Amino acid sequence: MQKELLNTLIDAIDNREAVALVTVTTGDGVYAGAVGRNAVVWHQPDRRPAGALGLGAKCNAVLHDVRTAIERKKHMQFSYAEDEGSFSVFVEIQARPPHLIIAGAGHIAVPLASIAKTCDFLVTVIDDRPQFAHVARFPTADRVVAGPFRPTLVDLRQGKDVFDSDTYLVLVTRGHQYDIDCLLEVLDDPVAYLGMIGSSRRIRAVFELLESEQSIPASKFDRVRAPIGIDIGAITPAEIAVCIMAEIICVLRDGTLPGMSEQIQQERTQRRMRAAERSRAG
């Protein structure tokens, strides 16, 4: 691989950019000379690839497929055949590392931050108590921020940490009022995961209260993982951290294991369906 492409890949890692290294693996006919060529491709169509694949007019079709692979975050191989020749390319994805933001630096956050870092997540911990939001308490975290919850989330969003499909948010503050404040701030962000701690009874009450008092559509809460985590009978803070991280990984890897929030989501959906039926009947 050329040094230029290697440096491009390194820069993409430093800038948390999702890219793909594309290699022409086979070729015959007019494409025989392209075998072994590489290019680095970004997901954004307006960014010109680094390197050249030497595929002529077929390059646009290849770039479209490559961007699909980047979006799916999966290595893929594509083959193309025409009268003038055929060729194959291998697309190796260099995805952005998933970013876990933990709102709350209490007893669950400590093991959760450690487990997440072991699983190759970028980890940010925020809390409004400097004695808790401290690097000595979270030695493996990439960043620990002491400040008011909601303004800190706003600052993170306005910086490099766009809240997107590579962002995982966990709300485990010391009080439900802070969890709710954080929830209202991030509810509309297109994050991959949004989880909030609390019992089933309290979660139901919170959602219903926000629906009635702030006129938030009930469907917006369907994406919130609450109660948070996979039901493994966890008791200790470390065990609860494991059940939270298990659900996050399940979302990251498109797993099928249901979380504890599934029951509430189903109940809320059924309740809306019944209300709609009563409305039509009336």
Side-chain angles (χ1 to χ4, degrees):
M1 187 193 310
Q2 305 108 315
K3 185 176 180 180
E4 175 191 354
L5 295 187
L6 180 59
N7 289 335
T8 300
L9 291 172
I10 293 173
D11 289 342
I13 293 174
D14 292 339
N15 295 322
R16 289 194 71 237
E17 295 177 318
V19 297
L21 175 64
V22 186
T23 303
V24 182
T25 53
T26 66
D28 57 37
V30 297
Y31 302 111
V35 176
R37 289 200 178 191
N38 305 102
V40 175
V41 178
W42 284 263
H43 183 254
Q44 303 92 320
D46 59 339
R47 293 200 65 172
R48 187 174 180 178
L53 297 174
L55 299 174
K58 287 295 293 183
C59 194
N60 286 337
V62 172
L63 291 178
H64 177 272
D65 291 340
V66 170
R67 292 184 177 113
T68 298
I70 295 174
E71 189 172 327
R72 295 178 180 175
K73 303 176 185 178
K74 293 182 178 179
H75 305 320
M76 300 182 74
Q77 181 168 311
F78 298 100
S79 297
Y80 309 83
E82 295 186 337
D83 294 339
E84 312 91 76
S86 62
F87 66 94
S88 297
V89 299
F90 181 71
V91 182
E92 184 177 0
I93 302 301
Q94 180 176 285
R96 290 184 297 174
H99 183 192
L100 175 62
I101 300 174
I102 307 172
H107 55 292
I108 294 174
V110 174
L112 180 59
S114 178
I115 296 169
K117 195 60 187 176
T118 301
C119 295
D120 297 324
F121 278 66
L122 288 175
V123 178
T124 296
V125 181
I126 67 174
D127 200 291
D128 60 349
R129 301 166 294 176
Q131 67 271 31
F132 282 82
H134 194 281
V135 291
R137 186 171 167 82
F138 296 93
T140 62
D142 296 277
R143 181 166 41 181
V144 183
V145 183
F149 288 106
R150 197 161 185 173
T152 300
L153 288 170
V154 172
D155 290 343
L156 289 177
R157 185 194 290 114
Q158 292 175 346
K160 285 187 176 181
D161 304 301
V162 178
F163 292 179
D164 56 16
S165 60
D166 292 308
T167 307
Y168 297 73
L169 279 163
V170 169
L171 310 182
V172 286
T173 70
R174 68 182 182 279
H176 235 59
Q177 69 272 27
Y178 299 107
D179 288 331
I180 294 171
D181 205 31
C182 292
L183 177 65
L184 292 174
E185 179 60 42
V186 301
L187 189 58
D188 292 325
D189 286 295
V191 296
Y193 177 94
L194 174 55
M196 185 171 71
I197 201 163
S199 67
S200 297
R201 179 185 59 81
R202 187 179 290 272
I203 293 298
R204 289 189 185 95
V206 166
F207 288 175
E208 291 172 6
L209 181 67
L210 293 176
E211 289 169 24
S212 62
E213 290 194 353
Q214 301 205 25
S215 300
I216 298 175
S219 58
K220 281 196 173 186
F221 297 105
D222 290 347
R223 61 191 293 262
V224 182
R225 301 278 178 158
I228 196 170
I230 300 294
D231 188 1
I232 59 173
I235 297 177
T236 69
E239 291 170 351
I240 295 171
V242 169
C243 88
I244 294 173
M245 200 64 212
E247 185 172 59
I248 290 174
I249 293 173
C250 192
V251 172
L252 174 68
R253 302 303 183 193
D254 295 323
T256 57
L257 190 63
M260 289 186 286
S261 59
E262 299 293 326
Q263 181 180 353
I264 285 183
Q265 291 173 358
Q266 291 173 5
E267 290 175 358
R268 289 168 53 78
T269 300
Q270 292 169 0
R271 186 187 67 184
R272 293 202 299 271
M273 291 175 62
R274 289 194 296 268
E277 290 173 357
R278 288 195 297 269
S279 178
R280 287 194 297 267

